Amino acid sequence: MSMDKATVARIATLARIKVPEEELEHLAGELGQILGWVEQLGEVDTADVEPMTGVGGVSLPWRKDEVTDGGYPERILSNAPGAEAGFFTVAKVVE
Amino acid sequence: MSELTRLTLAEARDGLGRGDFSAREITEAHLSAIEQARSLNMFITETPERALADAGAADERRARGEPLTLDGLPIAVKDLFCTDGILSTAASHILDGFVPPYESTVSAKLRDAGTVLLGKTNLDEFAMGSANVTSYYGEVENPWRARGDNRRRVPGGSSGGSAAAVAGRCALAAIGTDTGGSIRQPAAFCGIVGLKPTYGRCSRWGIIAFASSLDQAGPMTRTVRDAAIMLRHMAGHDPKDSTSAPREVPDFEAVIESGVRGMRIGIPKEYRVDGMSSELEALWQQGVNWLRAAGAEIVEVSLPHTRYALPTYYIIAPAEASSNLARYDGVRYGLRVEGNSVQEMYENTRGEGFGAEVRRRVLIGTYVLSAGYYDAYYLKAQKVRARIAQDFARAYEKVDAILTPTAPTAAFPIGEKMDDPIAMYLNDVFTVPASLAGLPAISVPAGLSGEGLPLGLQLIGRAFDEEGVLRAARVLEEAAEFTALPTMLGGSV
């Protein structure tokens, strides 16, 4: 399938990745090629099959809903590009 | 090359036990080997101080008569495992400076067993790649070169640094992760053993996530016995990973010499792909002959959906990756590239922080999960994945394990297949099906190509039958007598 520049730009926005305008054309070609290649899955009869969402058919275990960890905000914040008074900081989001 | 770096993990364990040498001596021998091989770029972070401290502690424990099971054995860890207090990068710019305040379960288990950490090995960025050429920290070079051809070759990927380090005698063993072949394919390219356990055998906790329904940690070693030893100390249920299996961990090493008499080995006709080289086909047949000679019954099986495995994988893995990698937003750790708003900061950070292959996969993943395309791509791929798993389930009604080649070619020169993503993806044509089905699979070095490069054979087992896989792998290993050394270490050129 082919993909146009506008579609790539839209996906890039959804994915929150800045893609320079001059790279859109090339990326559209690459992504279109990959999507064209995966379209062969259309040949497979999947009428009576359940989608496989995990491996082994194991049901996820239950556990008690309780606090088992925590109490060390300084460790959590130790890698933050910006932190202040026990919080992560980002540019202002509300006026 | 020191004699001590030539030992297998099992030999080194036994030598330390007898007091033939100390943990410090074998650690120093490996640190010096790493220094000499530095131009191959196997490690992102070397940890010599930590290694010597670990070795010193191991020697003290042994002197007190209280050695741990793997005390003093120097190993390398793929830089996808988070390590407490040590830079952990996933080979990505976006994790610049990230020093985790916690340790992954698998690396913690190995540490608790007494192993010595030599360093964090290079990989494809976020484990996305088959040649270790997408790392932000530069490509890794394979210690092997072709006969009469001086071009530098890829070690395979994504666990390329781990594979090169083990092949180059820079570590007794290493750990890697495998999502679609990232342990087995580099093991084949570098002439070592690589085992991807059953999905759920090892905890994924603390491993930087790529595709959560596929990722699995496993050992990379020079012998089947060493893989068995490592796996025993990596596996086990972990309450912190809800998909880790609540199963007992067998003593894998105890069964590896049990042979294959009476075992039924399947040969899937769909793996005879167009254009398979005659030497690879001959090696595969050789593997069949070896197993038959050892008493296995050879059975032709059919895995009819094999050819759909790669396109299925290239929907599911990018979809899961696009979701997993959403966390890299410049807020909590790693790189931040400022902007005029939070939205702009996210976009700038991710635009600059992700390399070309990661960006491509995140965009594909975002597309196939987006409104209007989800059913056509993602849901369809999940259904085809079910078909692929059914194929294996049917085959295992007739056989106990399946024998295939590991990769379609030997290691190729650095720079090849770079312009064509799909050509690169085809490296994983034989490894991806077992990943999708969550099955254990091992690559064993089985011979050299006409050019003098290693080739591997793959055994795929039933879920949680690593023991069967290891037994059959041991038979292949014994028959193949693969003793060739990489070019870097003076192997024939």
Side-chain angles (χ1 to χ4, degrees), chain A residues 15-18 79 81, chain B residues 87-99 125-126 128 134-137 208-209 324-337 345-355 358-359 362:
Chain A
R16 305 288 186 267
I17 298 178
K18 184 177 183 181
N79 280 287
Chain B
L87 181 71
S88 299
T89 69
S92 182
H93 186 27
I94 211 160
L95 272 169
D96 269 7
F98 175 57
V99 177
E125 185 181 1
F126 283 108
M128 298 180 193
T134 72
S135 168
Y136 178 69
Y137 296 89
I208 295 169
N324 272 326
L325 271 59
R327 73 190 72 182
Y328 305 104
D329 57 5
V331 175
R332 286 159 299 161
Y333 32 64
L335 182 72
R336 171 184 288 188
V337 181
M345 185 274 284
Y346 294 156
E347 294 186 348
N348 290 344
T349 300
R350 292 163 63 80
E352 202 167 297
F354 292 144
V358 171
R359 181 176 72 175
V362 170

Side-chain angles (χ1 to χ4, degrees), chain B residues 115-411:
Chain B
T115 60
V116 169
L117 178 69
L118 293 166
K120 306 288 297 287
T121 55
N122 207 338
L123 65 149
D124 280 298
E125 185 181 1
F126 283 108
M128 298 180 193
S130 308
N132 215 133
V133 292
T134 72
S135 168
Y136 178 69
Y137 296 89
E139 69 232 5
V140 176
E141 183 186 336
N142 193 321
W144 291 82
R145 288 193 188 179
R147 216 172 271 133
D149 177 347
N150 215 24
R151 284 178 296 174
R152 297 157 67 237
R153 292 189 178 255
V154 303
S158 68
S159 311
S162 286
V166 172
R169 273 64 176 172
C170 293
L172 288 174
I175 55 175
T177 60
D178 192 313
T179 304
S182 282
I183 286 174
R184 292 160 284 160
Q185 184 256 16
F189 275 21
C190 292
I192 63 165
V193 174
L195 171 62
K196 181 198 90 75
T198 312
Y199 183 83
R201 181 61 96 177
C202 297
S203 168
R204 291 182 296 107
W205 194 83
I207 299 173
I208 295 169
F210 162 13
S212 303
S213 78
L214 297 158
D215 296 344
Q216 185 60 202
M220 306 179 78
T221 57
R222 292 195 289 272
T223 68
V224 172
R225 178 177 296 274
D226 291 357
I229 294 170
M230 287 288 284
L231 182 61
R232 173 131 198 228
H233 293 90
M234 298 169 68
H237 179 245
D238 177 11
K240 288 190 281 195
D241 172 6
S242 61
T243 63
S244 85
R247 281 175 173 258
E248 286 299 303
V249 179
D251 181 357
F252 300 107
E253 191 185 2
V255 302
I256 57 167
E257 301 290 352
S258 311
V260 291
R261 190 157 299 283
M263 218 165 149
R264 293 160 306 168
I265 306 284
I267 309 301
K269 57 176 192 253
E270 290 81 4
Y271 279 59
R272 278 181 223 287
V273 293
D274 290 343
M276 181 185 281
S277 72
S278 54
E279 63 183 8
L280 192 60
E281 212 170 322
L283 185 79
W284 191 10
Q285 184 56 47
Q286 180 66 257
V288 169
N289 296 345
W290 285 330
L291 290 169
R292 187 186 282 126
E297 184 192 338
I298 305 297
V299 182
E300 176 144 315
V301 293
S302 176
L303 301 169
H305 296 89
T306 298
R307 58 182 293 233
Y308 299 109
L310 267 184
T312 300
Y313 177 84
Y314 277 99
I315 292 175
I316 288 174
E320 294 185 11
S322 75
S323 167
N324 272 326
L325 271 59
R327 73 190 72 182
Y328 305 104
D329 57 5
V331 175
R332 286 159 299 161
Y333 32 64
L335 182 72
R336 171 184 288 188
V337 181
E338 296 293 352
N340 290 320
S341 62
V342 174
Q343 169 86 6
E344 224 179 271
M345 185 274 284
Y346 294 156
E347 294 186 348
N348 290 344
T349 300
R350 292 163 63 80
E352 202 167 297
F354 292 144
E357 180 63 25
V358 171
R359 181 176 72 175
R360 201 152 44 220
R361 294 200 197 185
V362 170
L363 292 177
I364 288 278
T366 305
Y367 184 74
V368 301
L369 291 176
S370 65
Y373 298 97
Y374 183 93
D375 286 4
Y377 290 104
Y378 188 61
L379 195 66
K380 182 73 185 180
Q382 286 185 313
K383 289 179 175 178
V384 180
R385 184 178 183 184
R387 285 269 186 250
I388 291 163
Q390 276 172 6
D391 283 356
F392 280 106
R394 287 199 184 116
Y396 287 125
E397 289 167 9
K398 293 202 289 181
V399 298
D400 303 303
I402 289 169
L403 178 73
T404 77
T406 306
T409 65

Side-chain angles (χ1 to χ4, degrees), chain A residues 1-3 7-8 10-20 23-24 26-27 30-56 58-61 63 69 72 74-83 88-93, chain B residues 97-102 199 213 242-243 246 305 307-308 310-312 314-315 330-336 339-343 345-348 350-351 354 359-360 362-364 366-368 370 373 377 379-387 389-390 419-422 425-426 435-438:
Chain A
M1 73 167 270
S2 65
M3 187 177 270
T7 308
V8 179
R10 187 178 60 83
I11 306 168
T13 305
L14 285 175
R16 305 288 186 267
I17 298 178
K18 184 177 183 181
V19 177
E23 292 177 35
L24 288 174
H26 180 68
L27 257 175
E30 279 182 346
L31 300 184
Q33 193 197 357
I34 294 168
L35 289 169
W37 173 67
V38 301
E39 270 175 10
Q40 57 179 297
L41 296 186
E43 298 165 14
V44 183
D45 174 14
T46 51
D48 59 342
V49 68
E50 287 296 309
M52 182 169 166
T53 51
V55 176
V58 215
S59 55
L60 291 178
R63 62 166 169 77
D69 201 2
Y72 38 79
E74 65 296 334
R75 276 166 68 196
I76 304 290
L77 293 169
S78 64
N79 280 287
F88 294 105
T89 56
V90 292
K92 197 157 78 171
V93 284
Chain B
F98 175 57
V99 177
Y102 54 86
Y199 183 83
S213 78
S242 61
T243 63
H305 296 89
R307 58 182 293 233
Y308 299 109
L310 267 184
T312 300
Y314 277 99
I315 292 175
V331 175
R332 286 159 299 161
Y333 32 64
L335 182 72
R336 171 184 288 188
N340 290 320
S341 62
V342 174
Q343 169 86 6
M345 185 274 284
Y346 294 156
E347 294 186 348
N348 290 344
R350 292 163 63 80
F354 292 144
R359 181 176 72 175
R360 201 152 44 220
V362 170
L363 292 177
I364 288 278
T366 305
Y367 184 74
V368 301
S370 65
Y373 298 97
Y377 290 104
L379 195 66
K380 182 73 185 180
Q382 286 185 313
K383 289 179 175 178
V384 180
R385 184 178 183 184
R387 285 269 186 250
Q390 276 172 6
D419 314 326
D420 182 355
I422 294 174
Y425 297 169
L426 288 173
S435 298
L436 289 170

